[in-house]
Amino acid sequence: MHSLIEIETPKNPVVLAHGLLGFDELRLAGRVLPGIHYWRGIAEAMSKNGIEVITTQVPASSSIEERAAKLSLDIESKAGGKSVNIIAGLDSRYMLSRLKPPNVDVKSLTTIASPHRATYLPRIYEALGRLRIQTGAFRQLTRRYMNDDFNPNTPDREGVRYFSYGASVEPAVYSAFRQSHRIVSGEEGANDGLVSVTSSKWGDYKGTLVNVSHLDLINWTNRLRWIAWEMTGNKRNFNAIAFYLDIGATDTGFVVDHSQVPDTPDVRDSKPRAYKQALLGRTHGPDILATRGISPIMAQEYKIKGLSALDLKSGEKREVEVEGIENGKVLLAKVGNTTHAMSSNCTHYGAPLKLGVLTPEGRLTCAWHGACFNVDTGDIENAPALDPLAKFEVYEKSGAVYIKGEEATIKASRRSPNVKCKAQGQEKIVVVGGGSGAMGAVQALREQGFEGDITMISKEPNLPIDRTKLSKALIADKSKVEWRSQEWFDTASISTVSDEVSAIDFKSRSISTKSGKSLPYTKLILASGGTPKALPLPGFKDLSNIFLLRTLPDVQAILGAVGEDKGKNVVIIGSSFIGMEVANALSSNNTVTVVGMESAPLERVMGSEVGKIFQKLISNKGVKFHMGASVDSAQPSQDDKSKVGSVSLKDGTNLPADLVVLGIGVYPATEYLQDNSAIQLEKDGSLRTSESFQVEGLSDVYAIGDIATYPYHGPGGNGTLTRIEHWNVAQNAGRSVAASIAKPSVAPKPFIPVFWSAMGSQLRYCGNTPNGWDDLVLQGQPDEAKFAAFYGKGDTVVAVASMQMDPVMSQSAELMRRGNMPSMSELRKGQSVLERQSACVDLGHLSPSILWTDLQGAESSTEASEVAPMAVRIVLNDQRSWYTNLDVISGKIILSLPRRETITAITVKLEGESITHLVGDVPIAISAMGRRTHDEMVETEFHKVLYKVLTLLPTKDALPTTTGVYIIEAGVHEFSFQVKLPFNNSCVDADSTYVTLAGRQVQTLGNRERHVRKTLPPSLQMVHDQAIIRYYIKATVQRPAFYKENFRSEVSFPFFPIEPPRPPVPTLQQQRSETYSRNAHVFAPVAKSRGLFERKPVGGADVSSLLPPSVCIDGRLPDPPIITCNQPLPLKVLITKLNESSAAIYLHLLQIELVAKTRLRAHHLLIDNLTSTVIVSKSNMRTRLLESNNLMQIDQGYWSSIHLPNNVAPSFETCNISRSYELRIKVGLQHGVDDHVFPELGVVTLFMSVQVFSGIAPPQALLQAMASHPHPPPRIPPRPHPHVTSTSAATSNLSPHPFHAGAAAAAAPPFPSQSHQAPQQQQFQTGQTHPEEGPFPDDDAPPSYEEALAEGIAPVDGPRGVYSQGQGQGQGQGQEAGNGGNAPPPPPGGEGGGGKAG
């Protein structure tokens, strides 16, 4: 045994008191195996270094109170009146704070991995009771007890210094802590297998011991130690003796010469290197070291250049240099009160993270491509980065700032993900595909702890590559584009198979490949990507040097055709992203021409205004453009007939071409599923999935990337089914699926789509436009290609594109994710997204179906307060894309209190509002000249169409208090609620008027009975917020003092109503009556021409003697005239010849459009907004109509296959907003003889008032209940008639609203038997009398349903359809006919289904 050097004897003894579940000696097998000693070796080492050691014996797991009492007695009897430093646990805190023994003087208390804030695994601790350990303390290791009882009532004792350490470990596959670590990690983050780092913090937190498990903290002294060490998955990289010696030195004030640690069997590893290893993670500040994946032995201390203190403000980022390392830099970022040190550059393409976006919850997003990291752990939050950030210990010392880390890691600015695994178990996951989604899935599976087999099948001859580099830079070197090496996949136990899937048997769960292999699976991830589209035109299939671009061989072939000398004529067909990127990449030393069908590149996505910016950028590089052009054929080269030589356009232009690159899009690569009866592909060949990317109708099968059509819940999405071909989306979807498989109980994280492109300058884009966009705000200097483009649907920003404006895109994506993006109107006023502060908390750990909003009381500045504010949020259960009547909305209110609060009540309200905000002229006086003078008035009218209140606190069984105040302790509290959506508008808010007081207009209450009570209207939002109908759940936490603000949270949801009862369907014996509209046309005689252009006879007959036909055109609908959302029109168009003309009738033009009139009322103002939806638009048809007995019928096939678009709202009426519809049928006819058609075109327009029904049928039980309980209509007084202002000249052509008073019934024509009437009760003119009830109001009718009868009816279980709250319908912002939203106008003879016109 070596002797120790002499040291100064410590002044105070050290008390070693084991914490909860500690022991002096533990025997697992009686006397068969040696016992496990808790303090042996540690106490000896301290004693050899001159430290007086006191060991205590307390009950292993009795209650904290019992253990503290025994600890007090032991210290008092053994210390002999000396002051002591304690290394112990919770029982010592209790002794110091609650027992306060008078004869025990404690200078410091150090706790190591003690569960100060409880543990998530009380049951795991309980299992140790089998080792003859009492279980009294187990009941106390709960969050409720520790957070609500122990900690608030056990404050630190004055005069005692409190220190704490935590520990973290990444257990190996066979570690005893594998499962417990996974559970704790999912709930509390980094941990040592039992206790999290967060729970370990108390007092002055000294740091985290890295790669150290909970049992490593016990210095075992027998051969069982080595067996257990292997079971915990660790090498001998931690020296408990050196660690405790250092604690003793720190607390007692002496210095140990660690080179002289005794080399006994118990302490032979206590060498300086092991000592450094044991102390890795120790800090002198509040920061936690989380450098997982870095060898702790190599960690060294490095000084930060030019920084004397950690003086960052919360939310601040600062890139700093590391002394002693050439080009060594780290990023410091402060979130709340914690400063983090991490890699300075993004691990994707190396962007400086100091330019990124840091959120209050610790998400750091790269400014370039949207990669996002967690600053607390360095882990990846969002694609496209594959490597996490390295984290470093940071602290202040001697007037300077230091970090600890490895030099190579600091230089690399990244760390490798922990994917090492030896596959085991019965689970077998097969991933079909080798692209971004597949790579994201397989890596995340291992990161999340999945230990089963993983096989990745790809038909490409290489490992997964960064495909974005192919089109953006034309990189052909495999080593520069492959993400991971084969060694990496082998280490992660991921099998890679180069083969092509030919079929999948979903029933037997097996996959067949073209090489004849059969692979079984338990879970299947389909990520087969897209297949580039080819041109089916002459020459394109036969000639060589015509290339598609998808794979590495494609790039190699393109570069081979270009050659090293370049100077080639390159024709690129397609002006979208691939085409523009390739044009940019090949523009140097080549003659490049881009051919596009749009008026500007990327017009379909970005619009022509922004597309022309891209065109200008690429044109500056010498690229030529032929826009608005169509390709006719590819012509062979004169020198080599097998190769392409030119491309011919339909306008006759011939473009010389040495090679052609096609960039005209991709289609889903699902050929192997085409004939599979177990699955139904979408029309585009994709697979429909849920929000979690699980394929509909199949269990344990997922689809991601280009082949997945999923419900999009980003801004403006409203659950619209969308297929997004973005690199980031595929990888994020893969990570989401991996999380769902590895941790089924944890909801996937939502993400905002992001992509980028290289087109002379870097384009960034976030968001998506599944429902189109109708507004654009450009900020910056677009002429200099420095801009931010904000695309809006109504007032909602749905997408953002930027160039040279970083980090606008990344900031916008974060604001979109949190629901805090500025509106289009705010942006138009000049607001910058970079100045937008967020009052929202992180949505990242919730599923897309969970919403929360408005965290009242949050800091308005980026610097957070020291104590988190009260937080209220609403979590909805099983949220639908939209709701309808009878649906039950349930969820919970989550109240987070940082401290004890006094609360009087907690309520939940189900509310609906109908709001109009109008500007118009009203007459104010008559001048002396007899002329009316007008003034502009802004009026707002507000009605509460739905209002239900639930009281969650006090509960029904709560005891009343004398003050009416309830005290709620700090912590997180949940209150469940459930409410049913009614049928009818229950408007009770007062109509209001204005009076003038002291020169100001004041709104006063009016008559509360003047309201419409009908079926609830659908959600609606019009441009400029002229009209809004919205529904929401609102939670309110009421606080007693008048100066204390009540806390509120609100969640909006879309609503679509059940349709009214339909009339009974006629039996076969009955004839269905029809509603019709009729108009006539008489063709003019064909006059005989004179002179040079004298008309020649047709077919030997003199056409001048031809009797011109006279025709009658009827449009007919079943009576009553109802059309249904998401269903085709039940329309017939008949043409009757009224005379004996022998001329044939030709159909030249047909247009059918549905015109919506939205009537908006705001007190004295009334405005009618007209919009339309084009259902059919055809011209130049020249179709001869078959005649039978002078009767002809236009083929219903023109419209029978076209469903009414899902953004058409049903007819409705509220107090201040109503929607009615008219069907307009325009028929253009010609006549002729013997296939000769005369030029005269007769155009006839028919007008038919119709009602639009939602298509959501009421439950049969409700209809039966209504039939047996008829009810009379209510009496409601009439409203005054306001001034009317029309926003369209065509208003007078629109028939009155079917429900509106004064709507005169149309005069009945001679036939058919039923006149044109709307489906409603009998109409009455103003002033008429109802036969039973007397005066009936002119703007009201009975409710469609009786609420009392519907109370016990179950929700709708039939078809619901897909609906979108389209801005085009009812927005008062019409488009050119047939050109709805951003869709191109229909070509001649083509259909314009779904376009809008104004």
Side-chain angles (χ1 to χ4, degrees):
M1 180 180 294
H2 297 283
S3 62
L4 297 177
I5 63 171
E6 293 184 1
I7 59 173
E8 183 181 350
T9 303
K11 182 178 180 180
N12 301 315
V14 173
V15 176
L16 297 178
H18 56 75
L20 291 176
L21 303 172
F23 44 83
D24 180 46
E25 182 181 29
L26 177 64
R27 291 187 177 272
L28 301 179
R31 296 296 172 180
V32 177
L33 294 176
I36 302 170
H37 295 268
Y38 200 102
W39 295 120
R40 181 156 180 198
I42 295 174
E44 286 184 0
M46 284 187 171
S47 297
K48 295 296 183 181
N49 280 276
I51 305 174
E52 183 180 349
V53 180
I54 297 173
T55 59
T56 62
Q57 293 185 1
V58 296
S61 56
S62 296
S63 67
I64 295 176
E65 295 83 356
E66 294 172 332
R67 292 167 50 83
K70 181 63 167 63
L71 177 64
S72 175
L73 294 175
D74 272 14
I75 295 176
E76 184 177 357
S77 63
K78 295 180 180 182
K82 297 178 182 179
S83 299
V84 296
N85 298 288
I86 302 178
I87 302 176
L90 301 178
D91 46 320
S92 301
R93 282 184 53 203
Y94 188 91
M95 178 194 73
L96 293 171
S97 178
R98 308 280 285 274
L99 299 183
K100 300 178 182 177
N103 298 323
V104 176
D105 181 27
V106 179
K107 295 301 183 183
S108 69
L109 168 63
T110 300
T111 59
I112 305 167
S114 294
H116 293 283
R117 290 164 181 80
T119 175
Y120 191 71
L121 295 168
R123 292 185 178 179
I124 290 181
Y125 280 120
E126 201 167 329
L128 295 180
R130 300 173 183 175
L131 305 179
R132 299 183 180 178
I133 299 176
Q134 299 175 15
T135 58
F138 298 136
R139 295 186 298 273
Q140 295 176 315
L141 286 177
T142 63
R143 289 179 179 179
R144 182 177 297 276
Y145 175 76
M146 295 301 298
N147 295 332
D148 298 349
D149 191 331
F150 184 83
N151 287 335
N153 297 315
T154 313
D156 291 350
R157 184 172 178 176
E158 187 176 354
V160 179
R161 299 171 65 194
Y162 289 80
F163 304 96
S164 61
Y165 293 82
S168 68
V169 70
E170 288 290 341
V173 174
Y174 296 105
S175 170
F177 290 117
R178 184 71 174 180
Q179 297 302 325
S180 60
H181 178 273
R182 182 182 300 179
I183 296 173
V184 177
S185 179
E187 294 294 327
E188 300 174 351
N191 66 90
D192 62 3
L194 291 179
V195 179
S196 70
V197 170
T198 301
S199 187
S200 300
K201 293 181 180 180
W202 195 265
D204 183 3
Y205 186 67
K206 307 301 287 184
T208 304
L209 298 168
V210 179
N211 291 332
V212 176
S213 76
H214 202 72
L215 290 184
D216 290 339
L217 300 173
I218 304 171
N219 189 40
W220 294 9
T221 59
N222 51 59
R223 61 182 175 271
L224 186 59
R225 169 186 185 180
W226 315 119
I227 301 173
W229 214 285
E230 292 300 324
M231 289 179 63
T232 57
N234 294 296
K235 298 178 181 179
R236 294 183 57 196
N237 58 359
F238 173 71
N239 191 313
I241 292 176
F243 174 63
Y244 282 100
L245 281 173
D246 188 74
I247 293 177
T250 301
D251 295 337
T252 59
F254 75 97
V255 178
V256 181
D257 182 349
H258 294 286
S259 65
Q260 300 295 324
V261 175
D263 191 12
T264 66
D266 294 330
V267 294
R268 56 174 174 254
D269 297 315
S270 301
K271 301 298 182 185
R273 185 171 179 181
Y275 166 67
K276 291 179 182 179
Q277 189 172 337
L279 295 185
L280 176 68
R282 180 175 175 192
T283 69
H284 298 278
D287 302 318
I288 303 172
L289 181 65
T291 55
R292 295 179 297 181
I294 301 175
S295 172
I297 295 178
M298 301 302 294
Q300 298 181 33
E301 182 178 80
Y302 294 95
K303 186 178 179 180
I304 298 301
K305 187 181 295 185
L307 200 62
S308 60
L310 293 171
D311 56 356
L312 284 74
K313 296 180 180 180
S314 182
E316 182 182 353
K317 308 182 298 295
R318 189 182 303 174
E319 185 181 85
V320 294
E321 295 184 20
V322 181
E323 289 188 1
I325 300 179
E326 185 179 1
N327 298 322
K329 295 180 181 180
V330 296
L331 182 74
L332 301 181
K334 188 170 185 180
V335 177
N337 294 321
T338 303
T339 301
H340 302 267
M342 68 202 76
S343 305
S344 60
N345 295 85
C346 177
T347 63
H348 179 228
Y349 284 174
L353 289 175
K354 66 180 181 180
L355 305 177
V357 175
L358 178 63
T359 66
E361 62 272 20
R363 285 169 55 95
L364 178 59
T365 303
C366 173
W368 287 5
H369 307 132
C372 183
F373 306 91
N374 185 311
V375 299
D376 190 46
T377 63
D379 292 340
I380 298 169
E381 294 283 330
N382 283 125
L386 284 178
D387 287 341
L389 301 178
K391 285 294 303 297
F392 307 101
E393 172 191 359
V394 60
Y395 51 90
E396 296 176 1
K397 186 177 74 170
S398 303
V401 176
Y402 294 83
I403 65 168
K404 277 188 178 180
E406 183 185 355
E407 179 178 355
T409 303
I410 296 172
K411 286 184 174 181
S413 197
R414 68 181 61 223
R415 64 179 168 89
S416 298
N418 184 14
V419 297
K420 186 175 181 180
C421 177
K422 185 175 182 180
Q424 61 179 352
Q426 301 300 316
E427 286 286 337
K428 296 181 183 296
I429 293 180
V430 175
V431 181
V432 178
S436 176
M439 188 66 211
V442 298
Q443 176 172 316
L445 281 167
R446 288 296 185 235
E447 289 177 333
Q448 298 284 348
F450 178 77
E451 299 171 359
D453 286 339
I454 300 177
T455 300
M456 183 168 60
I457 307 174
S458 174
K459 62 182 179 181
E460 296 186 45
N462 44 260
L463 295 172
I465 60 173
D466 186 349
R467 203 180 306 280
T468 62
K469 292 181 179 179
L470 301 188
S471 60
K472 293 174 174 59
L474 293 178
I475 297 177
D477 187 345
K478 182 173 68 171
S479 65
K480 294 181 179 180
V481 294
E482 280 189 342
W483 267 326
R484 304 294 193 197
S485 65
Q486 185 60 55
E487 182 182 0
W488 185 92
F489 286 97
D490 294 341
T491 301
S493 291
I494 298 172
S495 301
T496 57
V497 177
S498 182
D499 205 339
E500 186 173 354
V501 173
S502 58
I504 299 177
D505 188 336
F506 293 105
K507 187 174 182 180
S508 65
R509 299 198 175 202
S510 64
I511 298 172
S512 301
T513 68
K514 287 192 175 180
S515 67
K517 295 179 182 177
S518 179
L519 290 86
Y521 71 85
T522 58
K523 290 182 174 62
L524 177 62
I525 302 176
L526 301 176
S528 44
T531 300
K533 294 179 180 178
L535 276 179
L537 297 174
F540 283 94
K541 290 184 178 181
D542 308 322
L543 300 175
S544 62
N545 276 12
I546 298 178
F547 303 102
L548 302 172
L549 179 51
R550 181 73 179 182
T551 65
L552 198 58
D554 292 337
V555 176
Q556 294 166 347
I558 292 172
L559 294 181
V562 172
E564 295 183 359
D565 55 346
K566 299 185 179 181
K568 298 297 191 296
N569 292 313
V570 183
V571 174
I572 298 171
I573 299 176
S575 58
S576 192
F577 295 103
I578 297 297
M580 294 291 283
E581 289 171 358
V582 173
N584 179 65
L586 290 176
S587 59
S588 177
N589 299 322
N590 292 300
T591 302
V592 180
T593 304
V594 175
V595 178
M597 298 182 67
E598 302 169 295
S599 63
L602 298 152
E603 180 183 16
R604 183 183 63 83
V605 178
M606 302 284 189
S608 60
E609 187 174 0
V610 175
K612 289 176 181 177
I613 298 175
F614 306 144
Q615 183 174 345
K616 180 180 178 182
L617 279 173
I618 304 295
S619 296
N620 291 339
K621 293 192 170 188
V623 176
K624 300 176 183 178
F625 285 86
H626 286 264
M627 302 306 298
S630 296
V631 177
D632 182 71
S633 62
Q635 302 297 326
S637 169
Q638 297 298 322
D639 299 330
D640 187 344
K641 297 297 183 181
S642 66
K643 295 182 179 179
V644 67
S646 63
V647 174
S648 299
L649 306 183
K650 287 189 176 180
D651 62 1
T653 303
N654 197 54
L655 304 174
D658 296 311
L659 68 149
V660 176
V661 180
L662 301 180
I664 56 176
V666 301
Y667 58 85
T670 54
E671 300 89 347
Y672 56 95
L673 297 173
Q674 293 289 343
D675 300 321
N676 197 315
S677 60
I679 200 165
Q680 182 175 356
L681 299 176
E682 298 293 290
K683 290 182 178 179
D684 61 357
S686 64
L687 293 162
R688 182 181 296 192
T689 75
S690 65
E691 294 169 346
S692 58
F693 301 99
Q694 185 159 354
V695 177
E696 288 191 356
L698 296 174
S699 61
D700 297 326
V701 180
Y702 301 85
I704 56 177
D706 293 357
I707 67 170
T709 295
Y710 72 100
Y712 178 66
H713 286 282
N718 300 324
T720 301
L721 290 173
T722 310
R723 188 173 69 86
I724 302 178
E725 299 171 355
H726 295 348
W727 190 252
N728 284 24
V729 170
Q731 190 174 324
N732 280 329
R735 297 183 63 86
S736 177
V737 168
S740 298
I741 293 173
K743 297 179 179 179
S745 60
V746 179
K749 297 179 181 180
F751 57 86
I752 296 296
V754 169
F755 75 80
W756 70 97
S757 186
M759 293 182 288
S761 186
Q762 291 293 315
L763 168 70
R764 331 272 193 215
Y765 184 98
C766 68
N768 196 36
T769 57
N771 297 310
W773 54 273
D774 53 21
D775 198 3
L776 173 65
V777 172
L778 267 177
Q779 294 180 352
Q781 295 85 44
D783 293 339
E784 301 174 12
K786 183 180 180 180
F787 68 89
F790 300 91
Y791 297 87
K793 187 72 172 173
D795 207 30
T796 301
V797 177
V798 295
V800 178
S802 71
M803 269 188 168
Q804 304 185 71
M805 293 279 283
D806 294 336
V808 165
M809 182 278 289
S810 296
Q811 172 79 344
S812 299
E814 279 296 321
L815 293 173
M816 287 179 176
R817 187 182 64 88
R818 298 187 197 130
N820 199 34
M821 186 70 186
S823 65
M824 293 294 288
S825 55
E826 289 174 323
L827 292 169
R828 193 171 280 106
K829 294 175 183 177
Q831 183 171 128
S832 169
V833 294
L834 299 181
E835 299 171 356
R836 184 77 165 196
Q837 302 298 336
S838 173
C840 297
V841 289
D842 184 23
L843 296 176
H845 64 285
L846 299 177
S847 71
S849 63
I850 297 180
L851 303 174
W852 60 21
T853 59
D854 292 348
L855 192 61
Q856 298 290 335
E859 291 292 318
S860 59
S861 66
T862 56
E863 183 170 358
S865 59
E866 293 186 3
V867 180
M870 177 192 290
V872 183
R873 71 179 189 263
I874 302 172
V875 177
L876 299 183
N877 300 331
D878 303 323
Q879 188 183 8
R880 297 177 179 271
S881 300
W882 50 269
Y883 289 86
T884 190
N885 312 95
L886 295 180
D887 280 347
V888 174
I889 302 178
S890 64
K892 56 188 175 183
I893 308 302
I894 300 179
L895 176 62
S896 301
L897 301 178
R899 60 180 69 85
R900 180 183 297 184
E901 287 283 355
T902 54
I903 293 174
T904 56
I906 300 176
T907 60
V908 172
K909 298 178 182 178
L910 173 62
E911 300 190 45
E913 299 170 347
S914 175
I915 307 170
T916 47
H917 182 78
L918 306 180
V919 180
D921 293 335
V922 295
I924 58 173
I926 298 179
S927 65
M929 301 295 294
R931 297 174 180 173
R932 288 182 175 270
T933 59
H934 292 74
D935 189 19
E936 186 179 80
M937 175 173 285
V938 179
E939 296 275 22
T940 299
E941 185 168 333
F942 176 97
H943 291 268
K944 190 75 73 173
V945 298
L946 176 60
Y947 191 80
K948 281 189 171 185
V949 182
L950 300 175
T951 300
L952 305 184
L953 183 75
T955 58
K956 294 180 180 180
D957 54 355
L959 297 176
T961 62
T962 55
T963 61
V965 173
Y966 297 84
I967 298 176
I968 300 183
E969 297 294 338
V972 179
H973 307 272
E974 297 183 357
F975 302 86
S976 297
F977 68 89
Q978 180 174 298
V979 63
K980 189 173 185 178
L981 280 165
F983 270 115
N984 297 323
N985 177 339
S986 57
C987 183
V988 295
D989 285 4
D991 190 11
S992 53
T993 57
Y994 285 93
V995 296
T996 301
L997 297 176
R1000 294 182 179 273
Q1001 282 193 328
V1002 179
Q1003 195 172 21
T1004 62
L1005 296 180
N1007 190 331
R1008 283 185 172 272
E1009 295 186 357
R1010 296 188 301 192
H1011 297 279
V1012 171
R1013 290 181 176 85
K1014 292 183 178 176
T1015 303
L1016 285 170
S1019 299
L1020 175 73
Q1021 182 170 2
M1022 298 179 66
V1023 171
H1024 308 309
D1025 291 337
Q1026 276 189 319
I1028 297 174
I1029 298 176
R1030 73 185 194 105
Y1031 297 87
Y1032 54 92
I1033 296 284
K1034 182 167 69 177
T1036 303
V1037 179
Q1038 299 176 8
R1039 308 204 298 178
F1042 73 91
Y1043 56 86
K1044 289 186 176 180
E1045 180 184 6
N1046 291 338
F1047 283 74
R1048 296 179 176 86
S1049 179
E1050 185 178 297
V1051 173
S1052 299
F1053 61 89
F1055 174 82
F1056 210 76
I1058 287 178
E1059 65 182 27
R1062 293 179 182 251
V1065 178
T1067 63
L1068 294 176
Q1069 291 75 23
Q1070 297 174 327
Q1071 183 177 358
R1072 181 74 176 263
S1073 58
E1074 294 179 326
T1075 296
Y1076 76 97
S1077 178
R1078 171 180 294 171
N1079 208 333
H1081 179 77
V1082 178
F1083 288 95
V1086 181
K1088 184 176 182 180
S1089 301
R1090 300 290 182 182
L1092 179 63
F1093 301 103
E1094 180 176 357
R1095 189 180 301 279
K1096 301 294 189 294
V1098 177
D1102 186 356
V1103 296
S1104 59
S1105 62
L1106 178 69
L1107 176 65
S1110 175
V1111 294
C1112 175
I1113 300 96
D1114 282 8
R1116 300 191 183 188
L1117 289 170
D1119 183 69
I1122 298 171
I1123 60 179
T1124 308
C1125 295
N1126 289 303
Q1127 295 183 19
L1129 286 177
L1131 174 69
K1132 292 192 297 186
V1133 180
L1134 304 177
I1135 301 172
T1136 305
K1137 188 181 292 185
L1138 301 179
N1139 59 8
E1140 298 301 323
S1141 172
S1142 60
I1145 304 297
Y1146 292 84
L1147 178 63
H1148 177 85
L1149 176 149
L1150 176 65
Q1151 179 170 307
I1152 303 174
E1153 61 178 328
L1154 182 65
V1155 181
K1157 180 176 78 172
T1158 308
R1159 171 158 292 186
L1160 311 177
R1161 181 200 303 268
H1163 301 296
H1164 300 284
L1165 297 179
L1166 185 69
I1167 294 178
D1168 289 337
N1169 280 359
L1170 297 184
T1171 56
S1172 74
T1173 297
V1174 176
I1175 299 171
V1176 175
S1177 181
K1178 287 180 171 289
S1179 60
N1180 298 325
M1181 300 171 68
R1182 292 209 173 186
T1183 300
R1184 181 170 180 171
L1185 298 177
L1186 300 179
E1187 182 177 340
S1188 175
N1189 297 325
N1190 291 337
L1191 183 65
M1192 294 156 279
Q1193 181 172 348
I1194 296 178
D1195 184 6
Q1196 291 178 283
Y1198 291 129
W1199 59 84
S1200 62
S1201 61
I1202 301 174
H1203 289 213
L1204 201 63
N1206 61 14
N1207 60 352
V1208 175
S1211 308
F1212 68 88
E1213 183 177 10
T1214 70
C1215 309
N1216 54 341
I1217 307 173
S1218 65
R1219 169 71 61 83
S1220 58
Y1221 287 95
E1222 184 174 73
L1223 197 63
R1224 292 182 180 175
I1225 308 161
K1226 185 178 293 185
V1227 180
L1229 300 177
Q1230 292 179 293
H1231 69 293
V1233 177
D1234 296 334
D1235 295 329
H1236 177 81
V1237 180
F1238 300 121
E1240 181 186 355
L1241 175 65
V1243 179
V1244 175
T1245 303
L1246 307 176
F1247 302 90
M1248 303 183 70
S1249 291
V1250 298
Q1251 277 206 91
V1252 175
F1253 277 18
S1254 67
I1256 309 173
Q1260 192 62 33
L1262 178 64
L1263 298 178
Q1264 294 172 355
M1266 292 177 61
S1268 58
H1269 294 83
H1271 58 278
R1275 290 185 172 199
I1276 303 175
R1279 295 178 61 158
H1281 295 282
H1283 303 283
V1284 179
T1285 302
S1286 176
T1287 60
S1288 172
T1291 305
S1292 59
N1293 295 330
L1294 188 65
S1295 301
H1297 189 300
F1299 276 144
H1300 197 274
F1311 68 94
S1313 60
Q1314 177 62 43
S1315 64
H1316 175 187
Q1317 292 183 356
Q1320 58 181 65
Q1321 298 191 14
Q1322 183 179 352
Q1323 296 289 315
F1324 296 93
Q1325 300 293 335
T1326 304
Q1328 285 185 322
T1329 301
H1330 190 280
E1332 297 180 0
E1333 294 297 322
F1336 194 72
D1338 66 343
D1339 66 348
D1340 216 341
S1344 300
Y1345 297 97
E1346 178 64 49
E1347 296 289 359
L1349 298 179
E1351 189 63 30
I1353 304 298
V1356 174
D1357 58 358
R1360 286 174 172 246
V1362 178
Y1363 299 99
S1364 171
Q1365 183 183 319
Q1367 294 291 342
Q1369 270 296 328
Q1371 304 313 307
Q1373 295 285 328
Q1375 307 288 336
E1376 181 182 352
N1379 186 9
N1382 301 302
E1391 295 182 358
K1396 307 175 188 70

